[in-house]
Amino acid sequence: MDYTLRQASIADAHTLGAIGETTFRETFAAHYSAETMAIYVDAAFAVDKLRQELASNSSVFWILTVEERCAGYLKLNWGDAQTASHVGDGLEVERIYLSRAAQGRGLGRVLFDKARSVAEAMHKEFLWLGVWENNHPAIGFYRAQGFVEIGTHRFQMGDVWDTDLTMKLSLVT
């Protein structure tokens, strides 16, 4: 299978917004009202917001392309860009988004491996992430990579508050 993984630039904001909205809707639309979904995707995947995130010195995006089409992306945060301030010297995996058509082909592992290699190159002690408590496929994937649950936090999904599991993978032995 032909795929490429490259670091995104500000010029990729439209691409990230489109694949972000598509993958988010594929994964979560059945669980929320159309209004709740619209509130979230309109804010989270707005091109101006993505441009700001791409310009940050504490975040990086990686775009996965399969057969010359964007199939997903990875977003990593450190320092003050992390969505929680109590995490210490870790690297946050804020998003591993993969289109439904690209799932089941080992590409989630490609994105995870990139996250791990970036964390190791930055000499981070651990990777961490938040995942919706009802997203059982994702939780299973993260557990298979060695993540363990360390707590929960609230996540605002449009006009709804959900519970996310906080998961951590130690990188020091």
Side-chain angles (χ1 to χ4, degrees):
M1 165 184 29
D2 267 349
Y3 72 84
T4 59
L5 186 60
R6 67 172 176 83
Q7 189 170 338
S9 70
I10 291 175
D12 294 308
H14 285 282
T15 299
L16 291 170
I19 192 67
E21 180 174 348
T22 296
T23 58
F24 198 86
R25 285 184 183 278
E26 287 175 344
T27 304
F28 300 111
H31 303 283
Y32 298 96
S33 71
E35 295 79 15
T36 296
M37 185 63 59
I39 292 167
Y40 183 80
V41 299
D42 289 350
F45 305 113
V47 171
D48 287 343
K49 180 178 190 303
L50 290 166
R51 283 187 183 125
Q52 289 176 338
E53 292 173 355
L54 284 157
S56 170
N57 291 327
S58 300
S59 294
V60 65
F61 290 76
W62 294 87
I63 294 178
L64 179 70
T65 303
V66 177
E67 298 163 359
E68 300 183 27
R69 298 189 72 194
C70 183
Y73 73 92
L74 168 69
K75 182 183 181 201
L76 304 172
N77 300 318
W78 57 92
D80 62 358
Q82 295 179 97
T83 59
S85 60
H86 65 279
V87 294
D89 192 28
L91 182 70
E92 177 186 17
V93 179
E94 184 178 350
R95 296 181 182 149
I96 291 183
Y97 283 5
L98 195 58
S99 69
R100 184 168 288 147
Q103 293 176 8
R105 299 162 70 183
L107 296 168
R109 180 64 192 234
V110 168
L111 294 172
F112 168 75
D113 287 347
K114 175 52 78 173
R116 186 176 187 133
S117 70
V118 169
E120 290 171 347
M122 294 176 75
H123 306 288
K124 295 297 182 182
E125 295 176 6
F126 56 90
L127 285 169
W128 76 275
L129 54 85
V131 58
W132 183 40
E133 66 183 344
N134 293 314
N135 189 347
H136 302 293
I139 293 167
F141 173 80
Y142 296 131
R143 285 181 179 149
Q145 307 316 310
F147 281 85
V148 295
E149 296 166 33
I150 59 168
T152 61
H153 65 271
R154 306 266 294 153
F155 177 80
Q156 188 170 5
M157 173 51 204
D159 57 353
V160 174
W161 283 94
D162 283 327
T163 300
D164 278 6
L165 303 178
T166 304
M167 301 182 79
K168 180 179 178 180
L169 172 66
S170 179
L171 300 174
V172 294
T173 52

